[in-house]
Amino acid sequence: MHSSFFLFHLVAATFVWVFVWRHACKMDIVYDEASSFRLLKMGIYRALPGVANTHWLNSFFMRLTMTFNDSVVCLRLHSIIAFPFFAHGIYRLATHIKNSGAQLAFYCLAIFNPYVLDFFSLARGYGMAITFQAWTILFVIKAVQTEFNYRLWLRVVILSALTLGANLSYQYTVMAITGGYLIYNSFTDYFFSWYTNKQKRRITWLFVLMLFLATVDLLFIKYYGKDLEFGGRENFISSVFSSFWEYSLYNAGYISLSIWLGWCTLVLIIAASIYFIIKTVQQKKAGVGIIAAFITGGIFLLGIIFHLVFNTPFITGRTALQWYVPGLFTIFLFIGDWKLPAMKYRFICYGAGMVTGMLVIFHFATNHGSSRCLEYYIEDPTRQPLYDLYAQHPKHPAISFWIFGVYNDYYSLVDSLTPSAITFKEFSNRPLKSKDIQILNESDYIIVHTKTTTNYLDSAHISYTILKTYAGSEFKILKLNH
């Protein structure tokens, strides 16, 4: 199975990487990408530490590629290139799972999730973060299962730093690994060996320094930038699990399964953690299962503690990507550890893994978007409406704030779209404010997104002509006949 699984990995990873490239090439720039682009293009580097939208490695690579080209796909190159490393990290993790069916199911769930793949087609830090996280877990497993090896733990520190650099929300993962490192030293040597041994002490201080710098930046974002409010506020299960599965189901007809999947995931992780704790106590040895369970449990426990003590939002949606790899890994290590009594039962288990893999691949093939991204679905398209608007040679253009961000932060900087447009705020559940009404009264061409605007124009008896609509989108270009 090992060689056939490796062959499947090569074919699957190559196929999905082609999709990632295609997705990145066809998808318009989204607001978060454009926001980072503007700060870097205008040289407003002082603002970077106070903005939650800043993912440090992402900003570094964006700035690097901008010296050559400002095209959208060029800005996304680092995320695209990260995917094969992610796929191989998942393959390496899967080889630790004893049952071949569980191996296959874990691999397919990690690689063919369309929501996860979205972030390898965007100039954001999430794709790189989950990649470095997978490789960090691999090196933690290797480091824990041997006597203290300075070089191995130094690699763990470097990969942890890269994970945090890719996305600061992965602080929970790094804190869990740091705690595991201290416990590892306590059980493999006397309790304070992490302090008295020079090499162990150096690794400890590197972990502490890394977490200190990440915490300082997060506190600066929260209290100075006031920009750290994304996440769930009330329901832990809904925020951490159900929201992630809802996005992963990608608006499929069976999206209602997200709540059921959320509860099943939690129950399986708890059962796996209890099983691996008991097994570790009995064998007096830290296996792969307890390492994965410790990291996964640490992410959840730290999230709850930070929420209760500092009112920090629960991870949800894209920030909940953090539990996905270690959580799935824990579950399938647990399933793969089941000792089935006869070969026919093992065949059933392999068959179940095959069915799971095929269902996941079918879901991916039938629900992924080739030119849109689920997280920013409402903002799409961006490029075509703006170019269609300026093809009319407007004198006083106005743009809905739903699309104005990408216009102001990207298109107006890389293309000559003149004269400058102004924005108006429109929401489907409340009427326009007087300021926005005044903007509409002074405009000749507008891009609208909600019926609120057309309802106002009708009520104010302002004649307009719909010049263009966009399939699958609420955006419209209107010519106002004042």
Side-chain angles (χ1 to χ4, degrees):
M1 174 60 191
H2 186 75
S3 59
S4 59
F5 182 45
F6 180 69
L7 180 61
F8 172 77
H9 158 58
L10 288 180
V11 173
T14 303
F15 169 77
V16 177
W17 198 27
V18 170
F19 162 77
V20 167
W21 272 101
R22 181 169 175 262
H23 197 192
C25 292
K26 294 188 68 175
M27 185 168 50
D28 290 344
I29 195 167
V30 302
Y31 174 70
D32 284 345
E33 293 176 302
S35 179
S36 295
F37 176 83
R38 181 178 182 81
L39 294 179
L40 297 168
K41 188 70 174 179
M42 303 296 290
I44 314 174
Y45 301 117
R46 291 173 61 186
L48 292 175
V51 180
N53 192 55
T54 298
H55 302 157
W56 288 103
L57 276 182
N58 177 67
S59 296
F60 169 77
F61 284 115
M62 284 182 75
R63 178 64 264 184
L64 184 65
T65 54
M66 282 162 58
T67 59
F68 305 101
N69 198 297
D70 288 339
S71 68
V72 178
V73 69
C74 193
L75 297 176
R76 294 168 172 167
L77 273 178
H78 53 281
S79 293
I80 299 169
I81 293 170
F83 176 76
F85 294 96
F86 171 70
H88 195 62
I90 294 299
Y91 166 76
R92 290 277 300 275
L93 286 172
T95 58
H96 287 282
I97 300 171
K98 295 178 181 178
N99 181 279
S100 56
Q103 279 185 349
L104 186 62
F106 165 72
Y107 182 88
C108 289
L109 279 166
I111 295 299
F112 288 97
N113 186 322
Y115 181 60
V116 175
L117 293 178
D118 275 351
F119 295 100
F120 287 100
S121 301
L122 292 171
R124 310 293 297 128
Y126 298 101
M128 288 189 297
I130 199 171
T131 300
F132 288 127
Q133 183 197 42
W135 282 93
T136 304
I137 294 170
L138 276 167
F139 278 100
V140 168
I141 291 169
K142 191 173 182 180
V144 169
Q145 292 188 322
T146 60
E147 291 190 12
F148 177 80
N149 185 304
Y150 177 72
R151 290 189 175 183
L152 271 179
W153 280 107
L154 186 60
R155 291 176 188 175
V156 172
V157 169
I158 292 170
L159 285 165
S160 297
L162 290 170
T163 304
L164 279 176
N167 194 296
L168 288 174
S169 68
Y170 280 68
Q171 187 182 36
Y172 294 155
T173 296
V174 178
M175 290 178 75
I177 290 171
T178 303
Y181 168 74
L182 298 178
I183 293 172
Y184 159 82
N185 284 313
S186 301
F187 277 91
T188 55
D189 209 334
Y190 58 94
F191 184 76
F192 287 106
S193 64
W194 55 268
Y195 177 76
T196 56
N197 183 297
K198 183 179 179 180
Q199 289 186 331
K200 292 182 179 180
R201 186 167 67 246
R202 187 176 298 161
I203 295 295
T204 303
W205 283 115
L206 287 173
F207 271 123
V208 171
L209 178 63
M210 177 174 30
L211 290 170
F212 172 76
L213 293 174
T215 302
V216 167
D217 193 14
L218 287 169
L219 290 173
F220 187 74
I221 294 170
K222 181 177 177 66
Y223 293 108
Y224 180 79
K226 300 186 185 302
D227 191 25
L228 201 63
E229 298 304 320
F230 179 82
R233 285 292 180 185
E234 295 179 359
N235 192 316
F236 174 77
I237 306 297
S238 177
S239 296
V240 177
F241 297 103
S242 299
S243 73
F244 181 80
W245 285 117
E246 182 177 337
Y247 280 112
S248 297
L249 293 176
Y250 224 76
N251 286 335
Y254 37 87
I255 197 170
S256 57
L257 291 174
S258 59
I259 298 174
W260 180 81
L261 286 171
W263 277 102
C264 285
T265 303
L266 176 63
V267 170
L268 284 171
I269 288 175
I270 292 173
S273 300
I274 293 171
Y275 169 78
F276 286 125
I277 289 171
I278 294 172
K279 185 177 179 180
T280 302
V281 171
Q282 290 175 342
Q283 296 182 349
K284 297 180 180 180
K285 180 182 178 182
V288 178
I290 194 63
I291 297 169
F294 184 87
I295 294 171
T296 306
I299 293 170
F300 297 144
L301 185 60
L302 287 165
I304 293 171
I305 292 171
F306 273 68
H307 177 75
L308 295 175
V309 177
F310 302 108
N311 198 31
T312 303
F314 292 125
I315 55 175
T316 190
R318 57 183 181 266
T319 56
L321 277 169
Q322 183 173 178
W323 71 260
Y324 192 56
V325 169
L328 281 184
F329 189 44
T330 302
I331 290 171
F332 284 100
L333 282 168
F334 171 55
I335 293 173
D337 224 31
W338 294 349
K339 290 181 172 58
L340 299 175
M343 182 60 71
K344 63 179 180 179
Y345 295 113
R346 295 176 190 174
F347 181 79
I348 291 171
C349 191
Y350 178 68
M354 287 283 291
V355 171
T356 302
M358 287 189 291
L359 287 174
V360 173
I361 294 171
F362 175 79
H363 168 69
F364 164 75
T366 55
N367 290 284
H368 73 78
S370 61
S371 61
R372 305 182 82 166
C373 173
L374 184 67
E375 188 80 18
Y376 305 93
Y377 199 84
I378 198 170
E379 300 174 18
D380 189 82
T382 60
R383 186 181 187 277
Q384 197 59 50
L386 290 168
Y387 280 81
D388 289 341
L389 172 70
Y390 277 92
Q392 307 302 319
H393 304 290
K395 294 181 180 179
H396 303 287
I399 300 175
S400 169
F401 85 104
W402 291 103
I403 197 174
F404 183 80
V406 292
Y407 160 78
N408 187 63
D409 294 347
Y410 181 74
Y411 293 108
S412 66
L413 298 178
V414 300
D415 297 310
S416 180
L417 299 179
T418 56
S420 297
I422 55 177
T423 184
F424 63 96
K425 290 186 178 182
E426 52 172 355
F427 299 93
S428 58
N429 59 350
R430 58 178 184 261
L432 296 170
K433 292 184 178 180
S434 57
K435 177 183 176 182
D436 303 306
I437 289 173
Q438 182 180 351
I439 291 172
L440 293 177
N441 289 335
E442 296 172 354
S443 302
D444 54 354
Y445 290 88
I446 61 173
I447 296 180
V448 302
H449 187 267
T450 70
K451 292 182 179 179
T452 305
T453 302
T454 52
N455 289 342
Y456 160 73
L457 296 174
D458 291 335
S459 65
H461 304 292
I462 297 175
S463 174
Y464 62 89
T465 304
I466 300 176
L467 298 180
K468 193 161 186 179
T469 59
Y470 299 89
S473 170
E474 298 297 323
F475 286 119
K476 296 180 179 68
I477 297 179
L478 307 183
K479 179 184 178 182
L480 303 185
N481 306 311
H482 292 291

